[in-house]
Amino acid sequence: MTEAKETAGQIEYYSRAMKAPRIREAAARLADQAREAGWTHEEYLAAVLSREVAAREASGAEARARAAGFPARKSLEDFSYDHQPGLKRDTIAHLATGAFLTEASNIVVLGPPGTGKTHLATGLGLRATQLGHRVLFATAIDWISRLQTAHQSGRLPQELARLRRYGLIIVDLCRARDYAEAFGGGR
């Protein structure tokens, strides 16, 4: 067996052992590029590892977004400020940095129905997943039901402890009519 094949076999084995399959793919793809460009060993290794890290971050963000329970995927970039001229873009841009998450600050988005509150909350939640935070999204009625069920079954302390592991919990308020119907006051 040639030295190149042995090395390729070792890279394949090590990438499987480390559960990092993209290392094998990136190593083979970047090897020729590194030789042609005259990269140092360190530059080549950094390039290979950066591909693995980027892929892991992307797949982790996607998994966190799926687990969050968003009603739809709506990004901050897709938000139309045309219907909300009073909304300050720089405030939303600052919130998108995730600083409020590290400060453990709360955000309340208020406004009449149809003004984009759920879109903004979802967009901030998606951004939080990209920043590595675990997120949960549900309507206020769903949260009340969830916590009430946990309380009735004697699991409220465990449920609250589980919720503390999330960096962001989004409570989407429903229309007043939905609340009335949920609690027996509807038509």
Side-chain angles (χ1 to χ4, degrees):
M1 190 185 289
T2 67
E3 189 174 320
K5 285 186 178 181
E6 283 182 30
T7 302
Q10 288 175 330
I11 290 172
E12 185 169 342
Y13 169 76
Y14 293 139
S15 67
R16 267 197 326 268
M18 292 174 25
K19 294 183 171 89
R22 291 162 294 259
I23 285 179
R24 179 180 48 83
E25 297 161 7
R29 191 173 58 253
L30 292 172
D32 292 333
Q33 183 180 350
R35 281 187 209 94
E36 290 171 11
W39 293 357
T40 65
H41 297 299
E42 292 84 359
E43 290 170 327
Y44 170 68
L45 179 59
V48 169
L49 294 176
S50 74
R51 302 304 193 282
E52 178 66 29
V53 169
R56 283 185 184 213
E57 287 175 350
S59 64
E62 178 58 30
R64 286 186 294 275
R66 276 193 314 270
F70 296 118
R73 299 275 179 105
K74 295 187 176 188
S75 70
L76 292 173
E77 293 77 22
D78 294 335
F79 185 77
S80 173
Y81 289 88
D82 297 338
H83 304 300
Q84 296 301 322
L87 189 60
K88 297 178 181 157
R89 291 177 191 239
D90 58 334
T91 300
I92 301 303
H94 175 70
L95 292 172
T97 67
F100 73 97
L101 295 164
T102 56
E103 298 166 359
S105 297
N106 295 321
I107 297 173
V108 178
V109 181
L110 298 172
T115 55
K117 298 178 301 295
T118 299
H119 187 145
L120 284 174
T122 301
L124 289 170
L126 279 171
R127 182 68 183 125
T129 64
Q130 294 164 351
L131 294 170
H133 298 278
R134 294 175 67 201
V135 176
L136 276 179
F137 181 104
T139 66
I141 292 172
D142 291 339
W143 284 115
I144 290 167
S145 175
R146 179 181 187 156
L147 295 173
Q148 186 176 39
T149 300
H151 176 68
Q152 290 171 345
S153 64
R155 297 180 300 101
L156 185 59
Q158 294 88 343
E159 181 67 12
L160 293 174
R162 191 177 80 72
L163 292 175
R164 283 187 200 97
R165 294 190 299 244
Y166 288 84
L168 178 60
I169 294 177
I170 300 172
V171 180
D172 189 24
L173 296 177
C174 301
R175 298 179 314 239
R177 191 177 114 228
D178 293 338
Y179 282 112
E181 290 173 6
F183 295 103
R187 297 177 205 196

